[in-house]
Amino acid sequence: MTGGSDTAKRDMLLARRLDLVANVSALTAEALRLDQKRAGIEMDVLRLELEIGRSGGSAQLVRDLHEAEERAAAVMQEGARCEQRIAAAEAEVDDVDRSLAATDGN
């Protein structure tokens, strides 16, 4: 009798899908947080550029600008890695969905 094993397999796949969807959700929240952080840093960069344009740019302002640009680049790289993790997690959800569809077909 395979009905019980099919049900157990389906239950396992549904639990796996739930875990994967929760992971996608957490990763998406992290990506949004990184976007907000990047936007804040970009505002700092613009503020510093305006101040340098007005005052001719002290050595401290130039250092601050370079540090802000480096922070922005680091956050963008972190965001790109997060987007890659989201894509991989979504691919896993797709795999589980295909397996679920196959169990529904039996």
Side-chain angles (χ1 to χ4, degrees):
M1 182 166 162
T2 60
S5 65
D6 287 346
T7 301
K9 181 178 181 182
R10 181 169 173 72
D11 288 349
M12 180 195 71
L13 287 168
L14 287 171
R16 176 72 179 138
R17 187 179 196 285
L18 183 62
D19 288 343
L20 290 169
V21 169
N23 186 43
V24 169
S25 179
L27 289 169
T28 301
E30 177 66 8
L32 290 172
R33 185 191 70 78
L34 290 169
D35 280 345
Q36 289 175 333
K37 185 175 181 179
R38 180 195 42 79
I41 294 169
E42 286 176 356
M43 291 300 295
D44 284 342
V45 167
L46 290 173
R47 180 187 56 78
L48 288 164
E49 287 173 342
L50 285 171
E51 184 63 31
I52 288 169
R54 279 193 299 245
S55 69
S58 70
Q60 183 61 49
L61 282 175
V62 172
R63 275 193 302 277
D64 291 348
L65 176 60
H66 289 303
E67 288 173 6
E69 290 170 339
E70 288 173 2
R71 286 194 319 270
V75 169
M76 286 174 32
Q77 287 177 348
E78 192 175 347
R81 286 190 298 271
C82 190
E83 291 296 332
Q84 290 171 343
R85 292 193 315 265
I86 290 170
E90 287 175 338
E92 287 184 72
V93 171
D94 290 342
D95 289 344
V96 170
D97 285 347
R98 280 190 290 281
S99 295
L100 280 167
T103 62
D104 287 344
N106 291 334

